[in-house]
Amino acid sequence: MVEQESVRVVRCGGSELNFRRAVFSADSKYIFCVSGDFVKVYSTATEECVHILQGHRNLVTGIQLNPNNHLQLYSCSFDGTIKLWDYVDGILIKTFIVGHKLHALFTVARAEDSVFVTINKEKPDIFQLVSVKLPKSSSQEIESKELSFVLDYINQSPKYIAFGNEGEYVAAVRDFYLSVYFFKKKTTSRFTLSSSRNKKHAKNNFTCVACHPKEDCIATGHKDGKIRLWRNFDDDKKYTYTCLHWHHDVVMDLAFSVTGTSLLSGGRESVLVEWRDAAEKNKEFLPRLGATIEHISVSPAGDLFCTSHSDNKIIIIHRNLEASAVIQGLVKDSNIFTGLMIDPRTKALVLNGKPGHLQFYSLQSDKQLYNLDIVQQEYINDYGLIQIELTKAAFGCYGNWLATVEQRQEKETELELQMKLWMYNKKTQGFVLNTKVNMPHEDHITALCFCNAEKSENPTLVTASKDGHFKVWILTDDSDIYKKAVGWTCDFVGSYHKYQATNCCFSEDGSLLAVSFEEIVTIWDSETWELKCTFCQRAGKIRHLCFGRLTCSKYLLGATENGILCCWNLLSCALEWSAKLNVRVMEPDLNSENIAAISHSSMGSDLFVFKPSEPRPLYIQKNISREEVQWGVFVPRDVPESFTSEAYQWLNRSQFYFLTKSQSLLTLSTKSPEEKLTPTSKQLLAEESLPTTPFYFILGKHRQQQDEKLNAALENELVQLPLTENIPAISELLHTPAHVLPSASFLCSMFVNSLLLSKESKSAEEIPDDVDMEEEKESDDSDEENDFTEKVQDTDNTDLGEDIIHQLSKSEEKELRKFRKVDYSWITAL
């Protein structure tokens, strides 16, 4: 039973993993990255999310290892706090309240009780680097108001600030200026490059900075693709710099190796460049990384690098420039044209991501499963080039078919339109292109939908377009003398008074098709394609259209652009009810009669859940998001919830996800992100006090609730051993210091003796002590065979976590009886 108060709006994933540089643990086993309000801890070996550090109330803007304890992590946020974490156990240790909005975080080993942060002063674009003293206290929340000024006129991004030569100086860049502050001398040196105003076509703007870990050398990246290495910068007149140039566009980030022998650079070319010994000739490349490199990080051990990319991806790279792991988040395109869909086979969230691709995203593990290349053309990263866009997609026939629409338009009269239909291949476990239709309509396609009725014999697809027509596509036999094949062809073309077709949907049983033509809704018979009736309320263009389901299948719902929600009764062909609601999202639940509608106002977005048969909502959640919600989808649950309150019963069989304008993926849930996104195996291990090793099955925690019927049946046949934690011999063995324990041979005999059956056991009494050896040998084979059969049956009927029950054979009981005479009373004297 789930309590009513526990349901809340939670961020379920999809946050940016590339917002800040990722940070490695000291042993390179873990990698940390900011993700919205959280800090995620991933395993570098398995790519699994191990922990989600939650506690900040606003966007996390910086993370750094504690230089004095490598098992701890600092994080800062816009909420004005610095938090110290134990990332191994995922525990918050301390919270330091600074009070200012923190934009970046830096730590230096020399400053034991201080960290450096970037704060905003007065003007919105003026930032300062200050030192924050972290007082020592036993309380969990501590105020840290003691700030020391270091540098001003800096950029808020941590890519523009770097500490060098073990913390002796700090370098900061902005626009055309390089500032270096020396901590010992407490002086600042400034260097200026010629600006584009003074030199034609010059792009000397600083874009990033990195400092040599052990020498006085500063590397700066620039907008023109050049890298400058600065030396002798402690003297304003004798400073020098040399140039390295390979990138043809902006240098996005720089990083030195741990020893300083190599410099790493990356940019829009999607190529990681390693400059060895800072020489132009000694270059190594790791190309085709898939997207623009935003950040570069180096592990403290020096054995791993990682790159953060513009497609919300982190690639972990070995020292020899070989990619070893990829952590892929939800790819955020500039526009989500396809909306949110659910793959009926994998229950994955599907939407457009990389240009020309559909991404399949696991909501349970918060990571991408795979990409499906729809456009099947090489993507060219050029701002002036008009790309082919994936605009529509829909699943049909329980995931057996996928329809996609792609378009490209340079001018108003030059529209390139293409529809593709993909068939699921069970052998390859993926979608294979079946039919390609060039220019299926003369204008933009506004909607497409499959007929997903259970009794539908022939797959049917409907497309609606601004050209005033909707088309019905059916699957036909396309076999020839060479092979058997199927393909899609147009079966019917419909229109209504030359109005633009804006939406289309099938009823649950597939007998009716609803198509909206601007302000008018038309109902068509799916067998004869005859127009049955029309609905018109003159309340504006129809924005959303959907049929009711199950007991509400006789209703049709439509939401207009003028903020009116209408419900029509298909039996009486009349308006059942209407409500004034500015609906931006309307999604039906495929497992129930419920429909979710999200409205938007100046105060934020509100959620309404209702049944078409009742105009009164079942559930209302005000201000689920401060920004506009653009898409929503119901996801069937693998395991139903058990909400008892009527207001929350709509969440029992399905879970509702919605995507905001800033592409934050949210849901209504009872679980915290740590419980939801952490793998199940990790949750089980966290609950146990002992690891799941063979020794665990002897000393581990046994289940308290066992099957009473199974135990009752086994009591008469099998002999149950006592619980191991109640055996004194084992307790003495575990609590005695190892250096005073006797040899292993004594311990082994003692341990086996402790497992012997009591004298009251029937199996021990039935066997006489004077059994002949010949008789014993003759029964060995049958005993072993019977014993093996009993073990197999016991394994099949008993879980690993239950008490281990085992019946001893006659030969085993006779052998164990020899150990009874051994005296182990010396153990009590230890």
Side-chain angles (χ1 to χ4, degrees):
M1 184 182 298
V2 182
E3 295 183 2
Q4 179 176 344
E5 291 78 14
S6 60
V7 178
R8 60 192 183 277
V9 177
V10 298
R11 191 187 303 272
C12 58
S15 300
E16 292 183 1
L17 302 178
N18 59 349
F19 179 61
R20 289 289 187 260
R21 284 193 185 113
V23 175
F24 285 95
S25 62
D27 55 4
S28 301
K29 289 184 178 180
Y30 304 104
I31 187 170
F32 315 98
C33 59
V34 302
S35 179
D37 303 347
F38 313 124
V39 178
K40 291 186 177 181
V41 184
Y42 288 94
S43 169
T44 56
T46 64
E47 306 172 14
E48 291 292 334
C49 183
V50 179
H51 282 298
I52 296 181
L53 307 180
Q54 53 178 336
H56 285 290
R57 292 171 297 177
N58 208 330
L59 187 68
V60 179
T61 55
I63 50 175
Q64 291 290 340
L65 284 178
N66 184 358
N68 302 314
N69 188 340
H70 292 304
L71 298 179
Q72 296 177 353
L73 183 78
Y74 283 111
S75 66
C76 73
S77 168
F78 280 161
D79 61 10
T81 63
I82 298 173
K83 294 184 182 293
L84 180 63
W85 307 86
D86 179 354
Y87 64 80
V88 177
D89 297 324
I91 299 173
L92 175 62
I93 301 174
K94 287 186 183 298
T95 299
F96 301 94
I97 303 173
V98 181
H100 294 274
K101 199 174 182 179
L102 308 179
H103 295 266
L105 176 69
F106 307 92
T107 57
V108 179
R110 292 186 177 184
E112 295 183 359
D113 58 347
S114 299
V115 296
F116 297 88
V117 296
T118 302
I119 63 174
N120 183 244
K121 277 289 186 180
E122 298 175 358
K123 295 183 180 180
D125 60 339
I126 302 299
F127 298 90
Q128 291 182 342
L129 179 68
V130 297
S131 172
V132 180
K133 188 174 182 180
L134 305 179
K136 295 181 180 179
S137 174
S138 58
S139 60
Q140 192 169 6
E141 288 193 1
I142 310 165
E143 288 195 359
S144 302
K145 304 294 185 180
E146 188 176 341
L147 307 181
S148 302
F149 171 79
V150 179
L151 275 175
D152 62 353
Y153 194 71
I154 62 174
N155 198 294
Q156 61 176 332
S157 173
K159 292 197 294 186
Y160 292 81
I161 303 170
F163 290 78
N165 201 355
E166 300 179 352
E168 288 190 359
Y169 61 90
V170 57
V173 296
R174 177 168 178 168
D175 298 332
F176 302 96
Y177 303 97
L178 167 64
S179 304
V180 184
Y181 178 81
F182 299 91
F183 289 97
K184 289 184 178 179
K185 299 187 293 184
K186 295 184 178 180
T187 59
T188 303
S189 300
R190 294 186 182 272
F191 308 95
T192 307
L193 293 178
S194 58
S195 64
S196 56
R197 296 177 182 177
N198 301 327
K199 189 176 180 181
K200 189 177 181 180
H201 302 303
K203 296 181 180 180
N204 290 331
N205 311 60
F206 288 94
T207 56
C208 55
V209 63
C211 295
H212 197 285
K214 297 181 180 179
E215 297 179 4
D216 290 340
C217 177
I218 299 175
T220 58
H222 299 267
K223 194 173 181 180
D224 58 359
K226 292 181 181 179
I227 300 172
R228 289 178 169 84
L229 298 174
W230 302 72
R231 299 183 186 275
N232 301 325
F233 45 80
D234 54 345
D235 192 328
D236 294 345
K237 297 181 179 179
K238 295 182 180 180
Y239 74 91
T240 60
Y241 65 79
T242 58
C243 286
L244 304 174
H245 196 184
W246 180 85
H247 299 277
H248 80 278
D249 209 333
V250 180
V251 179
M252 298 298 293
D253 201 12
L254 294 168
F256 277 97
S257 62
V258 175
T259 58
T261 56
S262 298
L263 175 65
L264 301 170
S265 65
R268 290 177 178 163
E269 303 85 2
S270 306
V271 178
L272 180 65
V273 184
E274 181 181 10
W275 308 81
R276 296 183 177 175
D277 300 322
E280 184 85 27
K281 297 181 180 179
N282 299 334
K283 295 190 297 289
E284 296 290 338
F285 303 96
L286 179 60
R288 293 181 292 277
L289 294 179
T292 300
I293 296 176
E294 299 279 354
H295 303 283
I296 303 173
S297 302
V298 180
S299 66
D303 56 339
L304 294 177
F305 307 140
C306 86
T307 54
S308 303
H309 296 262
S310 59
D311 60 350
N312 207 23
K313 172 179 61 183
I314 296 176
I315 300 180
I316 300 173
I317 303 166
H318 279 298
R319 184 65 185 83
N320 58 356
L321 293 186
E322 289 185 0
S324 64
V326 177
I327 301 171
Q328 178 69 70
L330 186 66
V331 181
K332 299 185 176 182
D333 200 358
S334 56
N335 291 297
I336 306 299
F337 294 111
T338 62
L340 302 182
M341 301 172 290
I342 296 298
D343 180 11
R345 292 181 176 272
T346 62
K347 300 297 187 295
L349 182 69
V350 182
L351 66 160
N352 61 291
K354 291 174 60 178
H357 290 71
L358 272 181
Q359 59 175 325
F360 290 70
Y361 192 81
S362 172
L363 293 167
Q364 287 72 28
S365 58
D366 190 26
K367 66 179 182 180
Q368 189 181 96
L369 299 179
Y370 65 95
N371 267 316
L372 179 62
D373 189 359
I374 302 297
V375 175
Q376 297 181 339
Q377 291 186 10
E378 190 68 27
Y379 178 75
I380 301 175
N381 189 2
D382 191 347
Y383 287 120
L385 184 63
I386 298 177
Q387 308 286 350
I388 300 177
E389 293 180 335
L390 177 62
T391 57
K392 299 291 178 183
F395 286 96
C397 304
Y398 306 99
N400 292 325
W401 289 96
L402 170 66
T404 60
V405 176
E406 57 196 63
Q407 69 178 33
R408 182 178 182 270
Q409 186 174 18
E410 289 193 15
K411 300 179 181 179
E412 292 185 2
T413 58
E414 297 179 0
L415 175 64
E416 299 176 17
L417 200 62
Q418 197 171 68
M419 183 174 70
K420 295 178 180 178
L421 290 114
W422 309 74
M423 183 173 62
Y424 185 81
N425 191 319
K426 294 183 179 179
K427 292 183 179 180
T428 61
Q429 294 292 301
F431 287 95
V432 179
L433 182 61
N434 175 267
T435 304
K436 181 164 45 174
V437 182
N438 289 318
M439 295 302 295
H441 287 271
E442 296 178 359
D443 206 341
H444 297 275
I445 293 179
T446 56
L448 73 163
C449 65
F450 279 93
C451 178
N452 291 319
E454 294 182 1
K455 297 181 180 179
S456 178
E457 298 179 357
N458 196 22
T460 305
L461 172 69
V462 173
T463 58
S465 172
K466 289 183 178 181
D467 62 3
H469 297 89
F470 73 90
K471 292 186 178 182
V472 181
W473 309 80
I474 61 172
L475 186 65
T476 58
D477 187 7
D478 198 20
S479 303
D480 52 23
I481 60 175
Y482 300 103
K483 62 178 180 179
K484 293 183 178 181
V486 292
W488 291 79
T489 184
C490 183
D491 182 59
F492 178 77
V493 179
S495 63
Y496 188 81
H497 295 293
K498 297 182 180 181
Y499 290 130
Q500 291 184 353
T502 54
N503 292 278
C504 61
C505 64
F506 277 97
S507 60
E508 184 180 12
D509 59 358
S511 61
L512 297 176
L513 169 67
V515 182
S516 64
F517 291 89
E518 298 182 10
E519 296 182 351
I520 302 172
V521 179
T522 59
I523 307 297
W524 305 75
D525 188 342
S526 62
E527 291 186 1
T528 61
W529 302 118
E530 178 185 354
L531 179 63
K532 290 293 184 181
C533 65
T534 60
F535 300 114
C536 181
Q537 297 304 124
R538 296 298 179 187
K541 290 185 179 181
I542 302 295
R543 181 184 288 169
H544 301 285
L545 196 66
C546 72
F547 280 94
R549 300 183 63 83
L550 301 178
T551 60
C552 299
S553 58
K554 64 179 181 179
Y555 298 103
L556 175 66
L557 289 148
T560 68
E561 292 182 350
N562 293 346
I564 303 296
L565 177 62
C566 302
C567 178
W568 294 281
N569 191 320
L570 297 173
L571 299 181
S572 61
C573 295
L575 181 67
E576 187 79 8
W577 55 266
S578 64
K580 190 173 183 180
L581 195 65
N582 186 18
V583 177
R584 296 301 177 92
V585 175
M586 187 167 67
E587 284 293 325
D589 182 8
L590 300 182
N591 291 334
S592 68
E593 301 93 345
N594 301 318
I595 292 178
I598 298 179
S599 66
H600 181 68
S601 64
S602 59
M603 302 298 293
S605 297
D606 303 327
L607 172 66
F608 300 87
V609 181
F610 62 93
K611 292 182 179 180
S613 58
E614 301 176 8
R616 180 176 296 178
L618 300 173
Y619 175 79
I620 299 176
Q621 175 70 50
K622 292 288 186 179
N623 200 19
I624 58 172
S625 175
R626 295 180 180 178
E627 54 185 333
E628 180 182 352
V629 176
Q630 292 185 331
W631 302 101
V633 67
F634 275 98
V635 181
R637 293 185 188 272
D638 295 330
V639 179
E641 288 284 0
S642 55
F643 291 99
T644 56
S645 173
E646 293 184 3
Y648 294 102
Q649 286 182 1
W650 65 279
L651 285 169
N652 282 340
R653 308 175 94 184
S654 301
Q655 190 168 358
F656 185 65
Y657 291 83
F658 53 95
L659 192 72
T660 63
K661 190 174 183 179
S662 63
Q663 299 190 10
S664 296
L665 190 61
L666 306 173
T667 186
L668 291 167
S669 177
T670 59
K671 294 182 179 180
S672 65
E674 172 79 5
E675 295 171 334
K676 186 177 185 302
L677 299 180
T678 304
T680 306
S681 58
K682 190 247 168 205
Q683 292 185 25
L684 295 175
L685 289 176
E687 295 174 357
E688 304 292 343
S689 58
L690 295 174
T692 52
T693 60
F695 199 52
Y696 160 80
F697 293 110
I698 299 176
L699 302 174
K701 182 179 68 175
H702 296 273
R703 292 184 182 177
Q704 297 178 355
Q705 297 180 352
Q706 298 180 351
D707 192 341
E708 296 180 358
K709 295 182 180 180
L710 180 62
N711 287 343
L714 293 175
E715 278 180 0
N716 299 328
E717 301 177 4
L718 301 178
V719 180
Q720 186 174 1
L721 294 176
L723 294 178
T724 53
E725 54 258 30
N726 297 328
I727 299 176
I730 296 181
S731 300
E732 291 289 342
L733 187 148
L734 292 178
H735 290 85
T736 305
H739 65 280
V740 298
L741 284 174
S743 62
S745 59
F746 284 99
L747 294 177
C748 182
S749 301
M750 179 192 68
F751 177 72
V752 174
N753 189 31
S754 66
L755 298 176
L756 288 177
L757 302 176
S758 62
K759 294 182 180 180
E760 297 178 358
S761 176
K762 292 183 180 180
S763 59
E765 290 178 355
E766 290 175 357
I767 303 175
D769 294 336
D770 54 348
V771 178
D772 295 335
M773 297 298 295
E774 296 179 358
E775 188 177 349
E776 184 177 326
K777 289 180 181 179
E778 293 176 359
S779 61
D780 278 347
D781 295 339
S782 61
D783 287 340
E784 291 175 0
E785 185 175 352
N786 293 336
D787 184 45
F788 177 79
T789 305
E790 291 168 356
K791 289 180 180 179
V792 172
Q793 293 175 353
D794 181 61
T795 305
D796 293 339
N797 297 328
T798 310
D799 292 336
L800 291 176
E802 297 179 354
D803 294 335
I804 300 174
I805 303 173
H806 177 64
Q807 183 178 6
L808 299 177
S809 64
K810 296 179 181 179
S811 59
E812 289 175 339
E813 292 177 359
K814 185 173 182 62
E815 186 68 19
L816 291 175
R817 210 177 291 116
K818 298 178 182 180
F819 290 95
R820 293 183 178 179
K821 300 178 182 180
V822 183
D823 184 17
Y824 295 107
S825 59
W826 58 269
I827 198 69
T828 59
L830 296 177

